[in-house]
């Protein structure tokens, strides 16, 4: 790694405000929808941009001090000039995309990008006259050929969901720097602890703060990090579209971030142990985890990631019914979507995320019927491994 990844000290202190009112250690929650002015002269001074307080605001849709402190902390962890907070990861993505494209533009993304991101670009943006180009996972030769004068954004994830595919981010950035296209990486699965994509040349970094940043499965949120010049465009779009974060949600995300490094370190460790145990199990057909030598993008993952993250995907022999028995036999892992929290979660994509698709349609979108996705929490590593192996054995004997 050629950049300094955030440490536990950074997670606790980087970007924090040191001049809090009343000298409180923890940040306050500014529960206000609007802000007041002493008189008309005070108001006019503010409107002219001459207020002595550069952080002063007039209305809640344009900002909040609690939210702003969390934004500064996310920017510090991502190594960027600024960051913006949103009420969900999809709000961060959609607001950002709308801020950069107009009718006649083209957006390039990979087929294994998060399905809701694909749906927004392919279905909704097309109604607005914005075209799209879909590339095969990791196809950077295809990317170089696909970028044209109308390309405004190139979107990828690192790693992807659910197969944890990894793209050579530095090469992707180099290709796009020669054009007008801006790069956007959804770094939710990587987290700032495992990768600092801004140092690799990426323009914009998105996180679903619901996942690792919040870390406790109790709050929705999303963030965008990048240079101030680009984020000012997104800030303006957010003011209009109204995708603003609630200050209480911001507080929960900020509190969760204090333990981010500790949690991700444990999740890296546990997920790798789970992946190795599953790879040795006879009932498992294939394991997908970027830090396994068997993963197709292992070399890229080792180059760009400090750890593989907390998600392990694997295919159970026997298909959909066999995978279902494994999921149902788990006692520690709870059946639920999402990832990055303190609790271990498990799901079968064929009946969770893609329940509306039949067998042939599942295969067409690359989802194996026997695929299981495990998102490890911070329980003891040996307990998570034992729970899954016991479930495998119980399912085999059912």
């Amino acid at each position: 790694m050629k950049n300094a990844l955030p440490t536990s000290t950074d997670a606790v202190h980087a970007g924090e405000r040191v001049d809090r009112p009343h000298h409180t250690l923890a940040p306050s929650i500014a529960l206000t929808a609007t802000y007041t002015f002493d008189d008309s002269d005070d108001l006019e001074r503010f409107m002219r941009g001459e207020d002595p307080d550069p952080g002063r605001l007039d209305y809640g849709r344009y900002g909040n001090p609690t939210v702003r402190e969390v934004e500064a902390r996310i920017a510090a962890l991502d190594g960027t000039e600024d960051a913006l907070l949103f009420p969900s990861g999809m709000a961060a993505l959609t607001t950002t995309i709308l801020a950069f494209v107009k009718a006649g533009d083209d957006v390039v993304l990979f087929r294994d990008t998060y399905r809701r991101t694909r749906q927004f670009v392919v279905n909704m943006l097309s109604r607005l006259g914005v075209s799209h180009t879909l590339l095969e996972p990791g196809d950077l030769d295809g990317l170089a050929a696909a970028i044209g004068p109308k390309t405004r954004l190139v979107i990828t994830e690192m790693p992807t969901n659910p197969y944890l595919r990894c793209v050579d981010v530095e090469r992707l950035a180099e290709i796009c720097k020669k054009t007008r296209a801006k790069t956007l990486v959804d770094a939710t699965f990587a987290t700032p602890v495992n990768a600092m994509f801004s140092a690799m040349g990426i323009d914009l970094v998105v996180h679903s703060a619901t996942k690792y940043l919040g870390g406790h499965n109790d709050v929705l949120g999303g963030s965008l990090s990048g240079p101030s010049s680009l984020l000012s465009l997104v800030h303006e779009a957010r003011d209009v579209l109204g995708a603003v974060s609630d200050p209480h949600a911001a507080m929960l995300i900020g509190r969760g971030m204090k333990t981010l490094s500790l949690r991700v370190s444990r999740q890296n460790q546990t997920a790798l142990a789970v992946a190795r145990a599953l790879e040795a199990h006879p009932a498992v057909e294939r394991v997908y985890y970027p830090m396994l030598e068997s993963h197709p993008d292992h070399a890229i993952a080792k180059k760009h990631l400090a750890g593989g993250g907390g998600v392990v995907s694997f295919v159970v022999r026997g298909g959909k019914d066999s995978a279902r028995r494994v999921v149902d036999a788990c006692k520690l892992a709870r059946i639920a979507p999402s990832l990055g929290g303190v609790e271990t979660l498990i799901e079968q994509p064929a009946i969770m995320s893609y329940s509306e698709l039949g067998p042939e349609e599942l295969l067409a979108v690359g989802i194996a019927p026997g695929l299981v996705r495990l998102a490890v929490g911070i329980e003891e590593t040996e307990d998570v491994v034992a729970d899954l192996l016991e479930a495998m054995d119980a399912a085999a004997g059912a």
Side-chain angles (χ1 to χ4, degrees):
M1 305 298 292
K2 66 179 185 180
N3 51 279
L5 293 171
T7 64
S8 290
T9 302
D10 296 323
V12 174
H13 295 293
E16 70 177 341
R17 182 178 174 181
V18 295
D19 60 340
R20 296 190 182 112
H22 312 296
H23 305 281
T24 61
L25 177 62
S28 60
I29 306 175
L31 292 174
T32 184
T34 191
Y35 303 86
T36 64
F37 296 88
D38 296 336
D39 51 36
S40 296
D41 287 341
D42 187 29
L43 172 59
E44 288 183 332
R45 186 165 51 248
F46 170 82
M47 291 300 180
R48 290 195 303 266
E50 299 173 356
D51 197 286
D53 179 4
R56 191 175 186 181
L57 300 159
D58 61 336
Y59 189 60
R61 195 171 70 251
Y62 306 137
N64 177 280
T66 306
V67 172
R68 191 63 191 138
E69 179 168 354
V70 175
E71 291 173 336
R73 292 178 57 205
I74 293 173
L77 294 184
D78 271 331
T80 59
E81 289 181 342
D82 203 358
L84 297 174
L85 199 60
F86 296 83
S88 70
M90 279 308 300
L93 274 165
T94 56
T95 305
T96 300
I97 294 170
L98 288 173
F100 283 95
V101 301
K102 64 182 184 306
D105 289 342
D106 187 68
V107 175
V108 177
L109 68 165
F110 298 86
R111 291 188 183 276
D112 56 351
T113 306
Y114 177 52
R115 67 183 303 215
R116 295 302 187 187
T117 304
R118 291 200 315 272
Q119 287 175 341
F120 178 73
V121 172
V122 173
N123 299 333
M124 295 189 175
L125 285 188
S126 61
R127 302 176 194 171
L128 305 178
V130 178
S131 62
H132 62 271
T133 303
L134 281 174
L135 301 175
E136 294 304 313
D139 183 9
L140 296 186
D141 291 333
L143 172 64
I147 294 180
K150 295 183 178 180
T151 306
R152 292 293 173 267
L153 273 178
V154 174
I155 303 172
T156 189
E157 292 175 28
M158 175 68 170
T160 64
N161 177 30
Y163 292 113
L164 292 308
R165 296 300 305 270
C166 298
V167 65
D168 189 333
V169 174
E170 289 182 335
R171 186 182 168 207
L172 182 149
E174 288 173 3
I175 292 170
C176 295
K177 291 296 183 187
K178 301 173 184 177
T179 73
R180 295 179 59 194
K182 300 302 180 185
T183 51
L184 186 155
V185 169
D186 184 335
T188 298
F189 275 49
T191 80
V193 175
N194 284 332
M196 188 178 288
F197 293 119
S198 63
M200 302 178 199
I202 295 300
D203 297 309
L204 301 163
V205 178
V206 166
H207 298 281
S208 172
T210 309
K211 314 304 193 295
Y212 292 97
L213 297 188
H216 291 77
N217 291 317
D218 58 4
V219 62
L220 293 176
S223 68
L224 172 73
S225 301
S228 299
S229 58
L230 296 181
L231 263 63
S232 64
L233 302 175
V234 184
H235 196 300
E236 183 178 349
R238 187 182 68 174
D239 290 350
V240 174
L241 296 171
V244 295
S245 177
D246 169 77
H248 188 266
M251 182 278 294
L252 289 174
I253 293 168
R255 185 173 66 175
M257 286 169 56
K258 289 181 179 291
T259 58
L260 176 65
S261 182
L262 294 173
R263 287 185 283 104
V264 172
S265 178
R266 167 62 68 86
Q267 287 162 319
N268 286 341
Q269 170 191 324
T270 299
L272 181 57
V274 166
R276 294 202 185 285
L278 287 172
E279 200 168 43
H281 199 286
V284 176
E285 183 178 314
R286 181 74 184 272
V287 181
Y288 297 89
Y289 189 69
M291 292 306 166
L292 288 180
E293 292 77 5
S294 60
H295 193 277
D297 303 320
H298 176 67
I300 295 173
K302 291 289 287 185
K303 175 184 177 183
H304 288 321
L305 300 175
V311 174
V312 181
S313 295
F314 58 100
V315 179
V316 179
R317 297 187 189 278
K320 187 175 180 178
D321 290 340
S322 295
R324 184 189 188 113
R325 288 195 293 271
V326 171
V327 170
D328 288 348
C330 286
K331 295 182 174 61
L332 179 66
R334 304 292 299 275
I335 300 174
S338 201
L339 57 121
V342 294
E343 300 92 356
T344 294
L345 305 178
I346 194 168
E347 67 159 293
Q348 188 177 355
I351 63 174
M352 174 76 78
S353 303
Y354 297 87
S355 60
E356 76 279 10
L357 302 183
E360 293 184 0
E361 293 171 307
L362 284 172
L363 293 176
V365 297
I367 300 298
L371 180 68
V372 175
R373 192 188 78 174
L374 183 79
V376 304
I378 62 168
E379 302 95 341
E380 296 299 324
T381 298
E382 56 267 29
D383 292 338
V384 179
V385 173
D387 181 55
L388 195 54
L389 294 183
E390 288 170 7
M392 299 288 294
D393 294 340

